[in-house]
Amino acid sequence: MLAALAVLVLQTIDYLNFAIDDVFITLRVVENVAHGRGFVYNPGEFVEGYSNWLWVVLLSVPAVLSISQPATEFGLLWAAKILSYVFALGTISLTYFLARRLFSRSSLKDVFAWVAVLALVSCAPFVLWAMSGMETLACAFFFTLAVYIVTVIFSGNEPLHSVP
């Protein structure tokens, strides 16, 4: 567990300032949504300039709460990074519980679960995209959640809330 945490923290620090230009497209649309101009890149031009509707909606909440680019230069970018990282932490947690479920008949299920988590956080692209501010980790979270739910449905075992 400590190894996984150390790897995650070190990579997070290394990728802290990573941002790609695509995030700024989303943030501009978010600014327009937050100011009532609609889901557009340029006000008055009704052209859809985004491919991540849910991410735009989620980031519109902090933008409406005045955590926007004009108010704080990088406030909305950091809000996007934090939200992306929260989804990354959720994906890591779900990976632990999913691996534990998949190896539930083994006496080493906890070991296998931590190895799965260590493998995930050791994957540099995973942590890099967690710091990107993009919707990538939200997609990873919802995919992992769907896989976990399917294993619960088809295994007949106790659901996540009963796992100690």
Side-chain angles (χ1 to χ4, degrees), residues 5-163:
L5 182 63
V7 168
L8 179 65
V9 168
L10 288 174
Q11 286 192 84
T12 299
I13 291 168
D14 191 32
Y15 300 135
L16 197 59
N17 289 320
F18 172 73
I20 58 171
D21 57 349
D22 286 1
V23 73
F24 296 104
I25 295 169
T26 300
L27 296 181
R28 181 152 173 177
V29 173
V30 166
E31 285 291 330
N32 286 328
V33 169
H35 292 97
R37 295 185 286 257
F39 286 82
V40 295
Y41 187 79
N42 291 321
E45 294 179 12
F46 297 101
V47 177
E48 183 178 309
Y50 59 93
S51 60
N52 47 7
W53 182 83
L54 181 59
W55 196 244
V56 170
V57 170
L58 290 173
L59 288 175
S60 294
V61 173
V64 167
L65 298 173
S66 297
I67 303 174
S68 59
Q69 297 305 103
T72 59
E73 191 173 353
F74 295 108
L76 196 52
L77 175 62
W78 280 104
K81 285 177 169 275
I82 290 167
L83 185 59
S84 182
Y85 204 77
V86 166
F87 277 111
L89 294 175
T91 304
I92 293 166
S93 299
L94 281 171
T95 299
Y96 172 81
F97 289 115
L98 178 62
R100 202 163 184 271
R101 173 170 292 288
L102 293 174
F103 294 102
S104 62
R105 294 187 178 159
S106 172
S107 61
L108 298 174
K109 65 183 172 190
D110 288 319
V111 172
F112 291 136
W114 282 114
V115 168
V117 167
L118 183 59
L120 181 61
V121 299
S122 296
C123 178
F126 176 82
V127 182
L128 183 73
W129 284 106
M131 294 307 304
S132 71
M134 293 293 291
E135 76 281 359
T136 312
L137 269 293
C139 293
F141 172 80
F142 289 120
F143 179 78
T144 309
L145 179 61
V147 171
Y148 182 84
I149 290 169
V150 167
T151 62
V152 168
I153 290 169
F154 288 107
S155 69
N157 292 340
E158 296 295 317
L160 175 66
H161 59 79
S162 67
V163 177

